[in-house]
Amino acid sequence: MDTHLKRPTPALRVLGIPIHDATYAEALDWIQLWIAEGGPHQIATVNPEFVMAARREQGFRAVLEEASLCLPDGVGITLAARYQGQRLRDRVAGVDLVERLATRASQEGWRLFLLGAGPGVAERTAEVLTSRNPGLEVCGTHAGSPALGEEDGIVQRVRDSRADVLLVAYGAPAQDMWLARNLSRTEAAVGVGI
């Protein structure tokens, strides 16, 4: 792991939104470093829809500005970078990151919590990820919702699981806003909106 990766610097801004020029390997190395040093560290997988929503919603924009890592998820982001005269080294899609994260987690002993999506989706995803990655510990799953009234119960569930990484699938911007409000309370080192 390359320790110079400790504090990612945005390579560019797409319509004012920060995008980090990161590869999959670097994203995983940052996650490993942040688990070792403790959290909270929020990761956003930014696609063109994120950029447009953040331009309309100041709160969402602020969340992306404060995120530890804004990954370039989407061909539109890589094309925008090229249009601005910069090349991103990789497109880091959230779905592919989850697969690679599960593999690294099984090797390193990290505990994953899967939150969101429809009823049964997190459980099924956990089954698929653990079947592909022997030794992977999914320490919890829960559909829940991003509703403010459910936050305390969900936070307690995640905290009780002692998760290292919390993967949240509520759709953007709800998942990213949820993480911004609650990641530190869950005590997970890293939260990723997927």
Side-chain angles (χ1 to χ4, degrees):
M1 178 176 57
D2 194 345
T3 58
H4 84 278
L5 301 174
K6 194 168 189 176
R7 299 290 174 249
T9 304
L12 67 127
R13 289 183 173 270
V14 173
L15 296 176
I17 305 306
I19 306 294
H20 294 91
D21 183 20
T23 64
Y24 284 105
E26 289 169 347
L28 292 172
D29 284 347
W30 278 315
I31 291 168
Q32 184 168 352
L33 181 66
W34 292 333
I35 289 170
E37 74 179 20
H41 298 279
Q42 183 172 348
I43 298 173
T45 53
V46 180
N47 61 32
E49 291 79 15
F50 276 55
V51 171
M52 299 314 291
R55 287 176 50 88
R56 290 186 308 272
E57 300 174 37
Q58 188 60 32
F60 184 36
R61 182 185 188 114
V63 166
L64 296 178
E65 289 289 342
E66 292 297 318
S68 298
L69 189 59
C70 289
L71 295 171
D73 181 356
V75 173
I77 298 296
T78 58
L79 291 174
R82 277 192 215 144
Y83 181 76
Q84 294 177 185
Q86 300 185 49
R87 289 186 85 79
L88 293 168
R89 292 172 294 144
D90 211 348
R91 175 181 166 255
V92 184
V95 171
D96 295 331
L97 178 63
V98 169
E99 289 280 346
R100 295 172 192 212
L101 176 59
T103 299
R104 178 77 71 93
S106 70
Q107 297 163 350
E108 299 291 336
W110 303 337
R111 298 164 55 87
L112 305 183
F113 193 106
L114 308 179
L115 175 62
V121 174
E123 292 80 3
R124 179 66 187 130
T125 302
E127 290 171 9
V128 169
L129 292 174
T130 55
S131 71
R132 292 179 185 167
N133 299 283
L136 175 64
E137 185 174 357
V138 176
C139 61
T141 60
H142 183 63
S145 88
L148 293 175
E150 291 190 37
E151 285 184 356
D152 289 343
I154 293 171
V155 165
Q156 188 62 50
R157 185 183 292 243
V158 176
R159 186 182 306 130
D160 290 346
S161 76
R162 299 183 341 271
D164 297 303
V165 179
L166 172 60
L167 303 174
V168 182
Y170 285 143
Q175 64 199 17
D176 306 279
M177 303 293 280
W178 193 97
L179 280 165
R181 287 190 309 270
N182 296 296
L183 181 58
S184 64
R185 297 193 315 139
T186 69
E187 299 178 3
V190 177
V192 187
I194 54 168

